[in-house]
Every structure is written in C-alpha cells, then in structure tokens.
C-alpha cells in the first residue's frame, strides 16, 4: 500500500513546490492528487488555456519521484462559464437556481455543461495523458456532495422524459406501472410529465423512484463521458473517482462499472458527528477515534464497488471544519486509520490535505502541515504509518467468509415510503454490519450484481425490490441466507406484489407477509427466542406460513423463520435479538465467531490478523499464547494497532 496526499499547487507560491515535494517524500508519501478544483486557473478566459503553471507543478512533483493523480476540474465551473450559460446551474425542488460562489454548481443533465466538461477534460488529457508521472485520473470530485444529484432544471426534466420513453415505450405502460389512475394522475403523453416536485402533498412514489433512477443514470453517464476521453488519450492509467461516505444519492456500483478503481473520502470524526446513527453516548465515547464500524464499513463497501480495487483518496489528518463539533483525533488515530485501510485491502491512503489553507471556506480544516508549513499532528503519524507498512509486507486480501448485500435502490425506496420515522435503511445496514464485526468477522459487501459464490452466509438487511436476475441468483445461492424485513415488498415498478410480500422471494422463504406496522420509540414488541426474551422495535410484520418459527412474538406469530438455508426476520430486531440470530446463522454456516471487547475490531489479510482498538480502555487481544506479534502489544493500548499471524 502506498501513501498519498491532496495538494493544491495553485494555492502556494511556486518557490514552495519543490520544498513541499521533498517534504512529502520525507514523510513516506509517494503519490499526489492535484488539479481537481483548478478550472479558473487552467482556463482563465473562455478558450484561453494557461498550462504553464501546471506544467511546472507536474515537473516539480515528478522530479521528486512522486506519482501524480490528476483531477478533472469539473466540480467547479468558473464564473465566466456560469455567466455565459446560467442554465448549467442546478435547480432546487422549488425551481430556484443554486448559485455561484462555492462548488458543485452544475446540473448533471445540462447538455451545455457536458460539452464544456468534455472540452476541458480532452484538453487536459491531451496535454498530460502521456506524462510518465501521471499514473491516474480522478473524474470530478465527490459526485453528489452538497446534495447535488437531484436537479429540477429544464434540462433534467427533458432528459427524465426521454429516459421514461426508453424505459416504458408507451405511455399506457407508464400509467399502469405508476398506478396513475390513483388521484387522476393519468398522462396522455410523456411530454406531460414533470419531475416530482412542488406537488401539494407527496408525489407519486413510483415517479419519485424513477426520477431517482434517472438521476443516478445521469451521474453515471456524466462520468462515463469523461472516462472515455481519458482512456483514449491516456492509456494505461487508472481512472477513478472519489466517492463519499454515507452517501446514497446514486448507485455507486453503476458509476464504478466504468472505473478502474473506486476511491472514497474518509473523515471518521466528521462522519460520527454529522452522519452516523450512533447513540449520544457512543458519539461521546468515540468522539476522538471515530466509530469502530464507520471507516471499516466504507472500506468494505468500496472494495465491493471497485471490484477489489479501491483507495482512500482523502483521509482526515486532524480536525475537519464541517461537522457540528470538530475534535482533534486522539494521538495515534491517523496512523490507526491508515493501517486499518491497509488491513481492508486499500492500494493507497491519501491524506486531505497537505497544508492547511490560510484562506477560503476550509481555513479551519487541518492539513498534515499547519498554514505556516510547520508539521501538524498528522505529519508525524504519517511517517510512523509509512515505517509500519514497510515492516509489515501485507499478504493478499482473500474473500471474507460472509457477505452483506447492499442495495442503493433499497435506500431510495425506503426513503420514499418509510412508513415509520425510524425506518432508515442505512441505519439498519450499519446495525447488521456492526453486529457481524463485533463477532470478529471479516465482511465483504456485495451489490445486487455481485458474485455470491464465495460466501458461507449472506446477509440482506432489507431488499424491498428484487429484480428477476437477483431472485434467480438468490435461489441458486448455496450458502445460508438471512433476509431482513420488507424484503420483496415491492415489484420493480414499486407496486405491491400480486401475491403480497415477499413477492419473488415467497418460494424461497415459504411465507407471506400479511400485515406490517411501525412502532414509535419506546414501544417495542416482545420476542421469545431460544428461551430468552428480546424485542422488535421500529417495525414488525405479521407472517402467514406453515413453518415452525424459530422465534415468536408474544401473540404466537412468527418473528424469525427458517426454510432450509433461508431465514427471514419479520421485523427490526433489537441488539440482543440481532446478535442471537447472527450467531445462529453463523453456527449453521460453520463460520467461527468470537465476542470482541468493546471498541476492538479485527481484520485479516491472508494469515495476518490486524487488530484496532477504538475503545476507551486498553484491551487484551485474542492471540494464542506463545504467538509472536508482528506489530504492537498483546495488551493493546487505546488507539493501538497490532498484527499477528494466524495459525
Ligand atoms: C471532501 C472534499 C474535499 C474537502 C474535504 C474537507 O468532501 O472532497 O474537497 O472539501 O471534504 O473535509
């Protein structure tokens, strides 16, 4: 694994560049990402390109033996372009343009903007595509950041209508699929359809799902246009994009199909504060370490998204500037996060950013260096991580024994029709993932088209819409399968299945869901399982079947059911029930689990076991007596990392 850093030569005087490059090398950094927001410096006037500074920056970095990842600058259209073509701005759901002055102020559907993107990308690719130091290209920056996937512009409306024409062929078929007879919504022509916004109350849910599907496809095609240009002009280089954590606005598997490598931006403390589902006491406990499952979950997700090839493109080096509270990482955490990414199979971990900016929106965001170029906390830890990596010689990553099925469509659908304020797909997924990881397991995350064959057990926390191809693959799957609530509850057209849920999974599960209810906080329903008392919260289902349930609600109804190797959970289990169910599945599948102490996580590369202590106390590692550690100590300190070889 290599180390990298995000660098903005255009922010600093030229005299600094060579000094910075040397200082990067001294920390063990081998690769630098540049250029992704530099459009106004690359093309200061329409059609007038200013390459000289970038030529010099590239040469300076190359002379220090640094590999370069060049970003396309399309996340930041310059002011002159917005002035000439205000129609490229995205529109919010009220139809108002989102203005110039920050970033991501463009609509994915704008043909004019796409044309300018192809032009600037082609220019860049032509100029630097064959440069020996340029090893990879990053398309744009964080698609969807700042809520920019959905745009309600004229261009988006037109393209949505065209997408619907292609999907449905004729308007009668669309009316049928969307059920537009309900509330007199029937259309006579595709031209009459608008994006779902501005309606008096909730818009048609099938229309909303299709608009989300369209928007996801628009991100993918926007990306693909850049990829094709880059591949043609810059053969042999990896093309990648930096995805975001906890972001589901488009289907990452779909976008990544056109990429060589999936990368993601890891901000463990910012995510815990701003986007996690952690309880307040966990937020306090992990405020300076990050939650033990958040970075790991995304490492596993992007390994799946990238078909095995993935990087951390931006790693938090100190406090960020964008969460409600921005603590400094505990000493040791920058190193721990780096080694953890290695344990999960990353090819590169790259820090954001080299030096703290003394101007602009992110002045409060730490870098490896302070604004005055003196080394900050992160710098020393990067050097330490580089030394650890040099000593470790990590073995190849193998498939995990179990996989979790992650589906972007599930997230979209369950947001459109949550039927209960607490039904959040990501939260459910994080609970299942965390419970598996607390049992010491390595977990692969697969999409709905992923290869299921390697796994002894497959966990699908919820799978509301099951395309026919996936239903076939689940039927053919030979391992143990656990399906969560609401699986198979809608057809591909977002209708209730004719024979009721779980629709195409009825034969597999041998049951029917005849009723559902959501529960307010504090009102749970008791469940009895293997002689112990647990509960379902948030969501419960009423099941009809001939099976003898493994667990029952107090009224005798089935709560946890098994048909051969396929199991179904008829609700949202509390932590105890979820744990007991996962233990049962793992035992049946022959997957060995351990009970890890709070905050400790394990991850394997070949025979090497990595251990990470996110918890507030030192912990004793589950290592056999007499086995020597390759790194760290048996009593693992807070923020500590250890590695040993499994027998
Ligand atoms: C990322 C983004 C970077 C920078 C960083 C700050 O989301 O890609 O450009 O803004 O956040 O944490």
């Amino acid at each position: 694994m290599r180390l990298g850093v995000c660098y903005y030569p255009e922010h600093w005087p030229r005299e600094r560049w060579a000094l910075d490059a040397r200082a990067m090398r001294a920390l063990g950094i081998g690769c630098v990402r540049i250029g992704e927001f530099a459009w106004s410096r690359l093309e200061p006037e329409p059609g007038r390109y200013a390459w000289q500074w970038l030529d010099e920056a590239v040469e300076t970095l190359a002379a220090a033996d640094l590999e370069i990842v060049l970003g396309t600058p399309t996340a930041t259209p310059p002011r002159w372009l917005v002035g000439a073509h205000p129609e490229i701005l995205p529109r919010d759901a009220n139809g108002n343009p989102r203005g110039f002055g920050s970033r991501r102020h463009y609509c994915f559907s704008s043909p004019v903007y796409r044309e300018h993107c192809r032009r600037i990308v082609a220019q860049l690719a032509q100029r630097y595509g064959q440069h020996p130091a340029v090893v990879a290209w990053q398309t744009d920056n964080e698609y969807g950041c700042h809520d920019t996937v959905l745009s309600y512009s004229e261009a988006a409306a037109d393209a949505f209508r065209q997408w619907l024409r292609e999907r449905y062929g004729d308007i009668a078929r669309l009316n049928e699929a969307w059920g537009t007879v309900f509330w007199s919504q029937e259309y006579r022509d595709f031209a009459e359809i608008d994006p779902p916004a501005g309606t008096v109350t909730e818009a048609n849910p099938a229309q909303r799902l299709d608009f989300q599907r369209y928007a996801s496809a628009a991100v993918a095609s926007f990306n693909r246009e850049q990829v094709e240009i880059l591949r043609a002009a810059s053969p042999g280089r990896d093309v990648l994009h930096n995805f975001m954590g906890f972001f589901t606005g488009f289907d990452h598997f779909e976008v990544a199909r056109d990429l060589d490598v999936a990368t993601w931006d890891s901000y463990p403390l910012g995510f815990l504060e701003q986007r996690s589902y952690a309880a307040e006491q966990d937020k306090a406990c992990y405020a300076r370490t990050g939650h033990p499952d958040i970075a790991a979950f995304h490492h596993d997700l992007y390994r799946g998204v990238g078909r095995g090839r993935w990087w951390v493109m931006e790693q938090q080096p100190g406090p960020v500037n964008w969460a409600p509270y921005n603590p400094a990482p505990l000493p040791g955490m920058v190193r721990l996060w780096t080694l953890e990414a290695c344990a999960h199979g990353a090819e590169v971990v790259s820090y954001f950013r080299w030096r703290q900016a003394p101007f602009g929106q992110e002045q409060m965001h730490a870098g490896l260096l302070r604004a005055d170029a003196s080394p900050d906390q992160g710098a020393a830890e990067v050097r330490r991580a580089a030394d650890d990596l040099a000593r470790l010689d990590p073995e190849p990553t193998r498939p995990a024994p179990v996989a979790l099925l992650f589906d972007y469509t599930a997230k979209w659908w369950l947001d459109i029709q949550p039927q209960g304020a607490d039904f959040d797909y990501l939260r459910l997924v994080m609970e299942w993932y965390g419970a598996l990881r607390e049992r010491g397991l390595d977990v692969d995350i697969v999409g709905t088209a992923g290869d299921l064959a390697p796994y002894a057990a497959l966990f699908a926390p919820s799978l509301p819409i099951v395309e026919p191809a996936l239903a076939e693959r689940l039927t053919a799957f030979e391992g143990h399968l656990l399906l969560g609530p609401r699986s198979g509850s809608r057809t591909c057209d977002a209708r209730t299945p004719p024979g009721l849920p779980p629709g195409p999974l009825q034969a597999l599960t041998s049951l029917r869901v005849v009723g559902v209810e959501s529960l307010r906080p504090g009102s749970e329903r008791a469940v009895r399982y293997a002689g112990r008392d647990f509960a379902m919260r948030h969501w419960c289902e009423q099941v009809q079947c001939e099976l003898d349930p493994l667990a029952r609600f107090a009224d005798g109804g089935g709560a946890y059911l098994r048909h051969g190797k396929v199991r179904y959970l008829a609700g949202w289990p509390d932590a105890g029930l979820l744990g007991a169910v996962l233990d049962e599945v793992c035992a049946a599948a022959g997957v060995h689990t351990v009970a890890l102490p709070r905050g400790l996580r394990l991850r394997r590369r070949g025979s090497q076991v990595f251990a990470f202590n996110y918890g507030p106390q030192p912990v004793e590692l589950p290592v056999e007596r007499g086995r020597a550690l390759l790194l760290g100590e048996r009593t693992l300190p807070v923020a500590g990392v250890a590695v040993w070889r499994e027998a």
Side-chain angles (χ1 to χ4, degrees), residues 267-276 278 282-284 286-288 290-291 294:
Y267 293 94
L269 304 193
F271 289 152
L272 175 70
E273 269 300 337
Q274 192 188 50
R275 295 189 213 158
S276 78
D282 277 352
K283 283 194 180 176
Y286 296 123
R288 289 177 183 279
H291 190 280
I294 290 180

mmCIF file with all atom_site columns, all heavy atoms in Angstrom, residues 267-276 278 282-284 286-288 290-291 294:
data_model
loop_
_atom_site.group_PDB
_atom_site.id
_atom_site.type_symbol
_atom_site.label_atom_id
_atom_site.label_alt_id
_atom_site.label_comp_id
_atom_site.label_asym_id
_atom_site.label_entity_id
_atom_site.label_seq_id
_atom_site.pdbx_PDB_ins_code
_atom_site.Cartn_x
_atom_site.Cartn_y
_atom_site.Cartn_z
_atom_site.occupancy
_atom_site.B_iso_or_equiv
_atom_site.pdbx_formal_charge
_atom_site.auth_seq_id
_atom_site.auth_comp_id
_atom_site.auth_asym_id
_atom_site.auth_atom_id
_atom_site.pdbx_PDB_model_num
ATOM 1   N N   . TYR A 1 267 ? -13.548 10.510 6.629  1.00 0.00 ? 267 TYR A N   1
ATOM 2   C CA  . TYR A 1 267 ? -13.474 11.526 7.686  1.00 0.00 ? 267 TYR A CA  1
ATOM 3   C C   . TYR A 1 267 ? -14.136 10.959 8.946  1.00 0.00 ? 267 TYR A C   1
ATOM 4   O O   . TYR A 1 267 ? -15.280 11.304 9.267  1.00 0.00 ? 267 TYR A O   1
ATOM 5   C CB  . TYR A 1 267 ? -14.163 12.818 7.212  1.00 0.00 ? 267 TYR A CB  1
ATOM 6   C CG  . TYR A 1 267 ? -13.402 13.465 6.081  1.00 0.00 ? 267 TYR A CG  1
ATOM 7   C CD1 . TYR A 1 267 ? -13.722 13.217 4.751  1.00 0.00 ? 267 TYR A CD1 1
ATOM 8   C CD2 . TYR A 1 267 ? -12.321 14.285 6.357  1.00 0.00 ? 267 TYR A CD2 1
ATOM 9   C CE1 . TYR A 1 267 ? -12.985 13.781 3.724  1.00 0.00 ? 267 TYR A CE1 1
ATOM 10  C CE2 . TYR A 1 267 ? -11.577 14.855 5.333  1.00 0.00 ? 267 TYR A CE2 1
ATOM 11  C CZ  . TYR A 1 267 ? -11.913 14.603 4.019  1.00 0.00 ? 267 TYR A CZ  1
ATOM 12  O OH  . TYR A 1 267 ? -11.180 15.155 3.005  1.00 0.00 ? 267 TYR A OH  1
ATOM 13  N N   . PRO A 1 268 ? -13.449 10.062 9.654  1.00 0.00 ? 268 PRO A N   1
ATOM 14  C CA  . PRO A 1 268 ? -14.105 9.313  10.727 1.00 0.00 ? 268 PRO A CA  1
ATOM 15  C C   . PRO A 1 268 ? -14.740 10.186 11.811 1.00 0.00 ? 268 PRO A C   1
ATOM 16  O O   . PRO A 1 268 ? -15.833 9.870  12.283 1.00 0.00 ? 268 PRO A O   1
ATOM 17  C CB  . PRO A 1 268 ? -12.974 8.461  11.304 1.00 0.00 ? 268 PRO A CB  1
ATOM 18  C CG  . PRO A 1 268 ? -12.004 8.309  10.186 1.00 0.00 ? 268 PRO A CG  1
ATOM 19  C CD  . PRO A 1 268 ? -12.071 9.601  9.424  1.00 0.00 ? 268 PRO A CD  1
ATOM 20  N N   . LEU A 1 269 ? -14.086 11.271 12.204 1.00 0.00 ? 269 LEU A N   1
ATOM 21  C CA  . LEU A 1 269 ? -14.676 12.086 13.284 1.00 0.00 ? 269 LEU A CA  1
ATOM 22  C C   . LEU A 1 269 ? -15.836 12.923 12.754 1.00 0.00 ? 269 LEU A C   1
ATOM 23  O O   . LEU A 1 269 ? -16.875 13.046 13.400 1.00 0.00 ? 269 LEU A O   1
ATOM 24  C CB  . LEU A 1 269 ? -13.623 12.993 13.922 1.00 0.00 ? 269 LEU A CB  1
ATOM 25  C CG  . LEU A 1 269 ? -12.375 12.292 14.479 1.00 0.00 ? 269 LEU A CG  1
ATOM 26  C CD1 . LEU A 1 269 ? -11.585 13.252 15.366 1.00 0.00 ? 269 LEU A CD1 1
ATOM 27  C CD2 . LEU A 1 269 ? -12.714 11.029 15.235 1.00 0.00 ? 269 LEU A CD2 1
ATOM 28  N N   . GLY A 1 270 ? -15.667 13.488 11.579 1.00 0.00 ? 270 GLY A N   1
ATOM 29  C CA  . GLY A 1 270 ? -16.757 14.258 10.977 1.00 0.00 ? 270 GLY A CA  1
ATOM 30  C C   . GLY A 1 270 ? -17.993 13.394 10.755 1.00 0.00 ? 270 GLY A C   1
ATOM 31  O O   . GLY A 1 270 ? -19.116 13.798 11.063 1.00 0.00 ? 270 GLY A O   1
ATOM 32  N N   . PHE A 1 271 ? -17.795 12.163 10.255 1.00 0.00 ? 271 PHE A N   1
ATOM 33  C CA  . PHE A 1 271 ? -18.936 11.277 9.988  1.00 0.00 ? 271 PHE A CA  1
ATOM 34  C C   . PHE A 1 271 ? -19.657 10.895 11.276 1.00 0.00 ? 271 PHE A C   1
ATOM 35  O O   . PHE A 1 271 ? -20.878 10.842 11.317 1.00 0.00 ? 271 PHE A O   1
ATOM 36  C CB  . PHE A 1 271 ? -18.497 9.992  9.284  1.00 0.00 ? 271 PHE A CB  1
ATOM 37  C CG  . PHE A 1 271 ? -18.072 10.199 7.864  1.00 0.00 ? 271 PHE A CG  1
ATOM 38  C CD1 . PHE A 1 271 ? -17.154 9.359  7.277  1.00 0.00 ? 271 PHE A CD1 1
ATOM 39  C CD2 . PHE A 1 271 ? -18.586 11.228 7.111  1.00 0.00 ? 271 PHE A CD2 1
ATOM 40  C CE1 . PHE A 1 271 ? -16.754 9.535  5.964  1.00 0.00 ? 271 PHE A CE1 1
ATOM 41  C CE2 . PHE A 1 271 ? -18.192 11.427 5.796  1.00 0.00 ? 271 PHE A CE2 1
ATOM 42  C CZ  . PHE A 1 271 ? -17.263 10.572 5.221  1.00 0.00 ? 271 PHE A CZ  1
ATOM 43  N N   . LEU A 1 272 ? -18.884 10.608 12.324 1.00 0.00 ? 272 LEU A N   1
ATOM 44  C CA  . LEU A 1 272 ? -19.522 10.213 13.584 1.00 0.00 ? 272 LEU A CA  1
ATOM 45  C C   . LEU A 1 272 ? -20.435 11.340 14.064 1.00 0.00 ? 272 LEU A C   1
ATOM 46  O O   . LEU A 1 272 ? -21.579 11.097 14.450 1.00 0.00 ? 272 LEU A O   1
ATOM 47  C CB  . LEU A 1 272 ? -18.457 9.916  14.653 1.00 0.00 ? 272 LEU A CB  1
ATOM 48  C CG  . LEU A 1 272 ? -19.016 9.612  16.037 1.00 0.00 ? 272 LEU A CG  1
ATOM 49  C CD1 . LEU A 1 272 ? -19.720 8.266  16.049 1.00 0.00 ? 272 LEU A CD1 1
ATOM 50  C CD2 . LEU A 1 272 ? -17.925 9.629  17.097 1.00 0.00 ? 272 LEU A CD2 1
ATOM 51  N N   . GLU A 1 273 ? -19.941 12.568 14.015 1.00 0.00 ? 273 GLU A N   1
ATOM 52  C CA  . GLU A 1 273 ? -20.721 13.706 14.489 1.00 0.00 ? 273 GLU A CA  1
ATOM 53  C C   . GLU A 1 273 ? -21.897 13.997 13.575 1.00 0.00 ? 273 GLU A C   1
ATOM 54  O O   . GLU A 1 273 ? -23.003 14.230 14.013 1.00 0.00 ? 273 GLU A O   1
ATOM 55  C CB  . GLU A 1 273 ? -19.835 14.957 14.529 1.00 0.00 ? 273 GLU A CB  1
ATOM 56  C CG  . GLU A 1 273 ? -19.140 15.193 15.843 1.00 0.00 ? 273 GLU A CG  1
ATOM 57  C CD  . GLU A 1 273 ? -20.098 15.356 17.006 1.00 0.00 ? 273 GLU A CD  1
ATOM 58  O OE1 . GLU A 1 273 ? -21.267 15.710 16.801 1.00 0.00 ? 273 GLU A OE1 1
ATOM 59  O OE2 . GLU A 1 273 ? -19.660 15.103 18.144 1.00 0.00 ? 273 GLU A OE2 1
ATOM 60  N N   . GLN A 1 274 ? -21.627 14.022 12.272 1.00 0.00 ? 274 GLN A N   1
ATOM 61  C CA  . GLN A 1 274 ? -22.619 14.572 11.356 1.00 0.00 ? 274 GLN A CA  1
ATOM 62  C C   . GLN A 1 274 ? -23.556 13.541 10.754 1.00 0.00 ? 274 GLN A C   1
ATOM 63  O O   . GLN A 1 274 ? -24.720 13.814 10.555 1.00 0.00 ? 274 GLN A O   1
ATOM 64  C CB  . GLN A 1 274 ? -21.910 15.312 10.218 1.00 0.00 ? 274 GLN A CB  1
ATOM 65  C CG  . GLN A 1 274 ? -22.871 16.155 9.404  1.00 0.00 ? 274 GLN A CG  1
ATOM 66  C CD  . GLN A 1 274 ? -22.218 16.721 8.167  1.00 0.00 ? 274 GLN A CD  1
ATOM 67  O OE1 . GLN A 1 274 ? -21.578 16.007 7.402  1.00 0.00 ? 274 GLN A OE1 1
ATOM 68  N NE2 . GLN A 1 274 ? -22.362 18.016 7.981  1.00 0.00 ? 274 GLN A NE2 1
ATOM 69  N N   . ARG A 1 275 ? -23.033 12.353 10.448 1.00 0.00 ? 275 ARG A N   1
ATOM 70  C CA  . ARG A 1 275 ? -23.868 11.467 9.622  1.00 0.00 ? 275 ARG A CA  1
ATOM 71  C C   . ARG A 1 275 ? -24.132 10.101 10.221 1.00 0.00 ? 275 ARG A C   1
ATOM 72  O O   . ARG A 1 275 ? -24.783 9.292  9.598  1.00 0.00 ? 275 ARG A O   1
ATOM 73  C CB  . ARG A 1 275 ? -23.203 11.267 8.257  1.00 0.00 ? 275 ARG A CB  1
ATOM 74  C CG  . ARG A 1 275 ? -23.140 12.543 7.494  1.00 0.00 ? 275 ARG A CG  1
ATOM 75  C CD  . ARG A 1 275 ? -22.687 12.302 6.083  1.00 0.00 ? 275 ARG A CD  1
ATOM 76  N NE  . ARG A 1 275 ? -21.928 13.454 5.648  1.00 0.00 ? 275 ARG A NE  1
ATOM 77  C CZ  . ARG A 1 275 ? -21.044 13.462 4.671  1.00 0.00 ? 275 ARG A CZ  1
ATOM 78  N NH1 . ARG A 1 275 ? -20.800 12.361 4.016  1.00 0.00 ? 275 ARG A NH1 1
ATOM 79  N NH2 . ARG A 1 275 ? -20.415 14.556 4.354  1.00 0.00 ? 275 ARG A NH2 1
ATOM 80  N N   . SER A 1 276 ? -23.589 9.823  11.408 1.00 0.00 ? 276 SER A N   1
ATOM 81  C CA  . SER A 1 276 ? -23.756 8.447  11.871 1.00 0.00 ? 276 SER A CA  1
ATOM 82  C C   . SER A 1 276 ? -25.088 8.286  12.577 1.00 0.00 ? 276 SER A C   1
ATOM 83  O O   . SER A 1 276 ? -25.776 9.246  12.885 1.00 0.00 ? 276 SER A O   1
ATOM 84  C CB  . SER A 1 276 ? -22.633 8.060  12.813 1.00 0.00 ? 276 SER A CB  1
ATOM 85  O OG  . SER A 1 276 ? -22.883 8.621  14.078 1.00 0.00 ? 276 SER A OG  1
ATOM 86  N N   . ALA A 1 278 ? -25.071 6.723  15.425 1.00 0.00 ? 278 ALA A N   1
ATOM 87  C CA  . ALA A 1 278 ? -24.616 6.345  16.755 1.00 0.00 ? 278 ALA A CA  1
ATOM 88  C C   . ALA A 1 278 ? -25.449 7.059  17.826 1.00 0.00 ? 278 ALA A C   1
ATOM 89  O O   . ALA A 1 278 ? -25.865 8.205  17.650 1.00 0.00 ? 278 ALA A O   1
ATOM 90  C CB  . ALA A 1 278 ? -23.148 6.702  16.911 1.00 0.00 ? 278 ALA A CB  1
ATOM 91  N N   . ASP A 1 282 ? -22.400 6.853  22.469 1.00 0.00 ? 282 ASP A N   1
ATOM 92  C CA  . ASP A 1 282 ? -21.336 6.360  21.576 1.00 0.00 ? 282 ASP A CA  1
ATOM 93  C C   . ASP A 1 282 ? -20.622 7.527  20.908 1.00 0.00 ? 282 ASP A C   1
ATOM 94  O O   . ASP A 1 282 ? -19.414 7.494  20.699 1.00 0.00 ? 282 ASP A O   1
ATOM 95  C CB  . ASP A 1 282 ? -21.917 5.430  20.511 1.00 0.00 ? 282 ASP A CB  1
ATOM 96  C CG  . ASP A 1 282 ? -22.091 4.010  21.035 1.00 0.00 ? 282 ASP A CG  1
ATOM 97  O OD1 . ASP A 1 282 ? -21.617 3.744  22.168 1.00 0.00 ? 282 ASP A OD1 1
ATOM 98  O OD2 . ASP A 1 282 ? -22.697 3.191  20.337 1.00 0.00 ? 282 ASP A OD2 1
ATOM 99  N N   . LYS A 1 283 ? -21.383 8.565  20.569 1.00 0.00 ? 283 LYS A N   1
ATOM 100 C CA  . LYS A 1 283 ? -20.741 9.737  19.971 1.00 0.00 ? 283 LYS A CA  1
ATOM 101 C C   . LYS A 1 283 ? -19.722 10.321 20.940 1.00 0.00 ? 283 LYS A C   1
ATOM 102 O O   . LYS A 1 283 ? -18.635 10.737 20.531 1.00 0.00 ? 283 LYS A O   1
ATOM 103 C CB  . LYS A 1 283 ? -21.783 10.801 19.615 1.00 0.00 ? 283 LYS A CB  1
ATOM 104 C CG  . LYS A 1 283 ? -22.544 10.475 18.361 1.00 0.00 ? 283 LYS A CG  1
ATOM 105 C CD  . LYS A 1 283 ? -23.319 11.674 17.847 1.00 0.00 ? 283 LYS A CD  1
ATOM 106 C CE  . LYS A 1 283 ? -24.067 11.275 16.593 1.00 0.00 ? 283 LYS A CE  1
ATOM 107 N NZ  . LYS A 1 283 ? -24.924 12.304 16.060 1.00 0.00 ? 283 LYS A NZ  1
ATOM 108 N N   . ALA A 1 284 ? -20.084 10.347 22.210 1.00 0.00 ? 284 ALA A N   1
ATOM 109 C CA  . ALA A 1 284 ? -19.146 10.892 23.197 1.00 0.00 ? 284 ALA A CA  1
ATOM 110 C C   . ALA A 1 284 ? -17.947 9.956  23.346 1.00 0.00 ? 284 ALA A C   1
ATOM 111 O O   . ALA A 1 284 ? -16.793 10.385 23.352 1.00 0.00 ? 284 ALA A O   1
ATOM 112 C CB  . ALA A 1 284 ? -19.860 11.077 24.532 1.00 0.00 ? 284 ALA A CB  1
ATOM 113 N N   . TYR A 1 286 ? -16.644 7.795  21.291 1.00 0.00 ? 286 TYR A N   1
ATOM 114 C CA  . TYR A 1 286 ? -15.768 7.658  20.115 1.00 0.00 ? 286 TYR A CA  1
ATOM 115 C C   . TYR A 1 286 ? -15.429 8.999  19.451 1.00 0.00 ? 286 TYR A C   1
ATOM 116 O O   . TYR A 1 286 ? -14.976 9.029  18.306 1.00 0.00 ? 286 TYR A O   1
ATOM 117 C CB  . TYR A 1 286 ? -16.430 6.735  19.088 1.00 0.00 ? 286 TYR A CB  1
ATOM 118 C CG  . TYR A 1 286 ? -16.624 5.310  19.574 1.00 0.00 ? 286 TYR A CG  1
ATOM 119 C CD1 . TYR A 1 286 ? -17.881 4.723  19.594 1.00 0.00 ? 286 TYR A CD1 1
ATOM 120 C CD2 . TYR A 1 286 ? -15.525 4.560  20.012 1.00 0.00 ? 286 TYR A CD2 1
ATOM 121 C CE1 . TYR A 1 286 ? -18.050 3.409  20.033 1.00 0.00 ? 286 TYR A CE1 1
ATOM 122 C CE2 . TYR A 1 286 ? -15.692 3.255  20.451 1.00 0.00 ? 286 TYR A CE2 1
ATOM 123 C CZ  . TYR A 1 286 ? -16.958 2.681  20.460 1.00 0.00 ? 286 TYR A CZ  1
ATOM 124 O OH  . TYR A 1 286 ? -17.125 1.392  20.886 1.00 0.00 ? 286 TYR A OH  1
ATOM 125 N N   . ALA A 1 287 ? -15.683 10.115 20.187 1.00 0.00 ? 287 ALA A N   1
ATOM 126 C CA  . ALA A 1 287 ? -15.538 11.445 19.563 1.00 0.00 ? 287 ALA A CA  1
ATOM 127 C C   . ALA A 1 287 ? -14.157 11.669 18.957 1.00 0.00 ? 287 ALA A C   1
ATOM 128 O O   . ALA A 1 287 ? -14.024 12.346 17.944 1.00 0.00 ? 287 ALA A O   1
ATOM 129 C CB  . ALA A 1 287 ? -15.850 12.533 20.584 1.00 0.00 ? 287 ALA A CB  1
ATOM 130 N N   . ARG A 1 288 ? -13.108 11.111 19.577 1.00 0.00 ? 288 ARG A N   1
ATOM 131 C CA  . ARG A 1 288 ? -11.746 11.369 19.086 1.00 0.00 ? 288 ARG A CA  1
ATOM 132 C C   . ARG A 1 288 ? -11.133 10.188 18.331 1.00 0.00 ? 288 ARG A C   1
ATOM 133 O O   . ARG A 1 288 ? -9.986  10.258 17.906 1.00 0.00 ? 288 ARG A O   1
ATOM 134 C CB  . ARG A 1 288 ? -10.831 11.715 20.264 1.00 0.00 ? 288 ARG A CB  1
ATOM 135 C CG  . ARG A 1 288 ? -11.118 13.062 20.862 1.00 0.00 ? 288 ARG A CG  1
ATOM 136 C CD  . ARG A 1 288 ? -10.224 13.317 22.061 1.00 0.00 ? 288 ARG A CD  1
ATOM 137 N NE  . ARG A 1 288 ? -10.560 14.574 22.669 1.00 0.00 ? 288 ARG A NE  1
ATOM 138 C CZ  . ARG A 1 288 ? -10.135 15.760 22.219 1.00 0.00 ? 288 ARG A CZ  1
ATOM 139 N NH1 . ARG A 1 288 ? -9.344  15.823 21.176 1.00 0.00 ? 288 ARG A NH1 1
ATOM 140 N NH2 . ARG A 1 288 ? -10.501 16.861 22.827 1.00 0.00 ? 288 ARG A NH2 1
ATOM 141 N N   . GLY A 1 290 ? -13.432 8.148  16.248 1.00 0.00 ? 290 GLY A N   1
ATOM 142 C CA  . GLY A 1 290 ? -14.371 7.701  15.220 1.00 0.00 ? 290 GLY A CA  1
ATOM 143 C C   . GLY A 1 290 ? -14.996 6.391  15.667 1.00 0.00 ? 290 GLY A C   1
ATOM 144 O O   . GLY A 1 290 ? -14.451 5.674  16.526 1.00 0.00 ? 290 GLY A O   1
ATOM 145 N N   . HIS A 1 291 ? -16.173 6.078  15.116 1.00 0.00 ? 291 HIS A N   1
ATOM 146 C CA  . HIS A 1 291 ? -16.864 4.830  15.475 1.00 0.00 ? 291 HIS A CA  1
ATOM 147 C C   . HIS A 1 291 ? -16.124 3.650  14.841 1.00 0.00 ? 291 HIS A C   1
ATOM 148 O O   . HIS A 1 291 ? -15.705 3.740  13.681 1.00 0.00 ? 291 HIS A O   1
ATOM 149 C CB  . HIS A 1 291 ? -18.306 4.896  14.966 1.00 0.00 ? 291 HIS A CB  1
ATOM 150 C CG  . HIS A 1 291 ? -19.146 3.778  15.477 1.00 0.00 ? 291 HIS A CG  1
ATOM 151 N ND1 . HIS A 1 291 ? -19.098 2.522  14.923 1.00 0.00 ? 291 HIS A ND1 1
ATOM 152 C CD2 . HIS A 1 291 ? -20.024 3.715  16.501 1.00 0.00 ? 291 HIS A CD2 1
ATOM 153 C CE1 . HIS A 1 291 ? -19.929 1.734  15.585 1.00 0.00 ? 291 HIS A CE1 1
ATOM 154 N NE2 . HIS A 1 291 ? -20.509 2.439  16.552 1.00 0.00 ? 291 HIS A NE2 1
ATOM 155 N N   . ILE A 1 294 ? -17.426 2.636  11.201 1.00 0.00 ? 294 ILE A N   1
ATOM 156 C CA  . ILE A 1 294 ? -17.763 3.557  10.098 1.00 0.00 ? 294 ILE A CA  1
ATOM 157 C C   . ILE A 1 294 ? -16.726 3.498  8.978  1.00 0.00 ? 294 ILE A C   1
ATOM 158 O O   . ILE A 1 294 ? -17.071 3.299  7.808  1.00 0.00 ? 294 ILE A O   1
ATOM 159 C CB  . ILE A 1 294 ? -17.973 4.989  10.622 1.00 0.00 ? 294 ILE A CB  1
ATOM 160 C CG1 . ILE A 1 294 ? -19.261 5.043  11.445 1.00 0.00 ? 294 ILE A CG1 1
ATOM 161 C CG2 . ILE A 1 294 ? -18.040 5.971  9.455  1.00 0.00 ? 294 ILE A CG2 1
ATOM 162 C CD1 . ILE A 1 294 ? -19.594 6.411  12.014 1.00 0.00 ? 294 ILE A CD1 1
#
